[in-house]
Amino acid sequence: MSLIYLDNAATTKISQRALKAYVGASEEYYLNPSASYKAARMAKERLEEERDYIKRALNADDKSTIVFTSGATESIQSFLLPLAKEKPGEIIATRIEHAATKEMLFSLEAFGWKIKYLKTKNGSVDISSLDELIGKDTRLVLSIHTSNANGNIQDIKRLSEKVRDYDKSLKHRILIFSDMVQSFEKIDIDLKNLDIDGASFSSHKINGPKGIGALYIKRPESFIPFSKGGGQENGLRGGTENLPGIISFAEAIREHEENKREKRERAKLISRTLREGLLNLKARLLTGECSSPYITSFSYKYPSEVTMRMLYDKGFIISAGSACSNNKKGSSEETYRALGYSSEDAKRAIRLSISDDTTLEEAKAFLKALGEI
Ligand code: PLP
């Protein structure tokens, strides 16, 4: 039985183009980009071309940089961990962050940082609750962009405008960070317009290879990395650069950028079909209006594991809530509770996440199978 894959928020299949780019680059650019001999210069030049390309794809400021990492988990850690060396202050965060961020916040708490949490409303972060939390000790405000649990998009533009207003009265710049893993190449990102200080991205969520990610840093000159290693990435991240991974990641982005309007319209049609179909089956939608068309979350009659198992037997791979890994029991349920859903909905939450390869027929087949259970 061939399985229909509807768990693309956990990871995607590498595209043929990205795979070919990876293999080609492994042969062509095997020299160490940081080596000093002339022959390695080509590898270095190619690395910088891809960095510039990704910056342009994100509409990042000229003075900003992209640091290549092993994935979004490392990108998030790299931005947050340097705070451990500073005098502790306050961080305002959300309770719906990915485990990669949550764990870092717990670590920073151990270093004396105080974490305050924004409220949620209708399945999204309530940005106006920032006013009750911000103060002279606030050093960082962070919020995930597209929720990996229900696909709702947080208003980072409004968040950054609010924080920048406070900057003026507090007379210091508060850092803003956003985890944009589930937004990249799914919805438009315009970093110049957002005025944030850091953001995380991951290649394997957009049909690129695993083990490669990016960290956006708006002001590299004032960023003090935790680990410098051999001075690679302009001194911002140590370790030999994964050039095949970087080239393949950039190729996956190029592929997404081609005909992206048509692809997103198709994704919207599929998500509309799924959402209307789910409502007809009396499922409760846990995804709101302002959401990524690539993620639809709902609660149904049975506990998540039971629905997942029954649908697996019918040929569908879906996930319980926000699970990117099965290693942390309960974390998906916690995220739904934090989004404001009842404990019954949280226990029954199912996440469907599509890719540009998902067809309307597959979405309809899923609805039919769900109706049958
Ligand atoms: N942030 C979000 C929102 C995610 O969905 C994921 C995926 O697991 C990550 C961060 C971590 O990404 P990576 O697997 O590249 O470390």
Side-chain angles (χ1 to χ4, degrees), residues 9-10 70-74 76 98 100-101 144 146-148 179-182 200-205 212-213 322 324-325 351:
S70 62
T73 301
E74 187 194 322
I76 294 163
H98 185 269
T101 309
I144 194 164
T146 299
S147 159
N148 54 305
D179 178 1
M180 299 195 151
V181 165
Q182 300 291 350
S200 48
F201 304 94
S202 179
S203 151
H204 74 97
K205 309 285 185 179
I212 185 85
S322 62
C324 288
S325 85
R351 179 186 70 183

Side-chain angles (χ1 to χ4, degrees), residues 320-353:
S322 62
C324 288
S325 85
N326 283 324
N327 306 336
K328 290 202 156 191
K329 283 239 169 281
S331 65
S332 151
E333 214 176 293
E334 262 170 42
T335 305
Y336 279 91
R337 294 288 291 129
L339 280 163
Y341 298 110
S342 68
S343 122
E344 188 183 81
D345 280 340
K347 284 193 172 70
R348 296 175 174 192
I350 291 291
R351 179 186 70 183
L352 305 175
S353 48

Side-chain angles (χ1 to χ4, degrees), residues 54-344:
I54 298 178
K55 273 179 68 177
R56 285 199 302 280
L58 291 166
N59 197 25
D61 303 6
D62 294 342
K63 287 185 182 155
S64 70
T65 195
I66 290 291
V67 175
F68 291 109
T69 62
S70 62
T73 301
E74 187 194 322
S75 302
I76 294 163
Q77 283 185 357
S78 305
F79 194 85
L80 296 185
L81 201 53
L83 293 177
K85 290 197 280 194
E86 292 185 15
K87 184 171 161 267
E90 290 180 358
I91 297 173
I92 298 175
T94 83
R95 289 193 191 274
I96 64 160
E97 297 301 316
H98 185 269
T101 309
K102 278 187 191 159
E103 287 299 325
M104 276 312 301
L105 293 174
F106 295 148
S107 300
L108 287 171
E109 260 179 331
F111 281 96
W113 285 78
K114 185 167 179 193
I115 320 294
K116 293 175 164 180
Y117 290 97
L118 292 159
K119 288 186 181 150
T120 52
K121 201 169 155 186
N122 305 326
S124 294
V125 176
D126 178 6
I127 305 293
S128 60
S129 65
L130 184 82
D131 299 321
E132 302 157 25
L133 305 175
I134 207 158
K136 65 174 179 27
D137 295 326
T138 309
R139 306 269 290 288
L140 168 70
V141 175
L142 69 83
S143 170
I144 194 164
H145 192 207
T146 299
S147 159
N148 54 305
N150 69 354
N152 281 4
I153 301 166
Q154 323 312 313
D155 192 347
I156 302 295
K157 173 78 181 152
R158 196 166 146 238
L159 181 82
S160 99
E161 281 170 358
K162 265 184 167 295
V163 173
R164 297 296 162 239
D165 273 351
Y166 279 106
D167 279 358
K168 284 175 212 140
S169 55
L170 296 171
K171 296 200 172 61
H172 70 262
R173 185 178 170 91
I174 297 170
L175 295 174
I176 307 175
F177 181 82
S178 185
D179 178 1
M180 299 195 151
V181 165
Q182 300 291 350
S183 307
F184 193 29
E185 293 301 344
K186 306 285 184 337
I187 59 170
D188 288 333
I189 296 179
D190 180 348
L191 289 176
K192 256 184 208 153
N193 182 38
L194 286 180
D195 195 9
I196 60 176
D197 299 279
S200 48
F201 304 94
S202 179
S203 151
H204 74 97
K205 309 285 185 179
I206 61 156
N207 309 94
K210 295 178 179 35
I212 185 85
L215 168 65
Y216 163 76
I217 303 175
K218 187 181 169 84
R219 295 164 180 233
E221 71 284 0
S222 53
F223 184 78
I224 302 167
F226 204 84
S227 150
K228 293 183 191 171
Q232 292 91 346
E233 293 292 90
N234 300 312
L236 298 176
R237 191 252 189 188
T240 302
E241 301 89 338
N242 174 3
L243 189 52
I246 292 165
I247 292 174
S248 175
F249 181 18
E251 191 62 16
I253 298 171
R254 285 189 187 91
E255 198 174 351
H256 274 275
E257 286 289 314
E258 282 171 16
N259 307 319
K260 81 173 169 191
R261 294 289 145 222
E262 287 91 323
K263 288 177 191 158
R264 293 198 191 157
E265 283 311 312
R266 265 193 67 243
K268 277 185 196 157
L269 174 67
I270 294 175
S271 89
R272 244 192 339 264
T273 305
L274 281 173
R275 293 173 194 189
E276 282 167 14
L278 287 166
L279 289 175
N280 286 338
L281 290 170
K282 307 267 179 295
R284 225 188 330 265
L285 276 187
L286 306 180
T287 296
E289 286 290 306
C290 184
S291 59
S292 159
Y294 289 85
I295 298 179
T296 295
S297 173
F298 64 96
S299 92
Y300 201 53
K301 294 179 201 169
Y302 317 107
S304 314
E305 304 78 45
V306 176
T307 308
M308 273 169 69
R309 205 184 53 238
M310 287 201 274
L311 282 158
Y312 190 88
D313 290 345
K314 286 182 170 286
F316 296 89
I317 299 182
I318 55 175
S319 110
S322 62
C324 288
S325 85
N326 283 324
N327 306 336
K328 290 202 156 191
K329 283 239 169 281
S331 65
S332 151
E333 214 176 293
E334 262 170 42
T335 305
Y336 279 91
R337 294 288 291 129
L339 280 163
Y341 298 110
S342 68
S343 122
E344 188 183 81

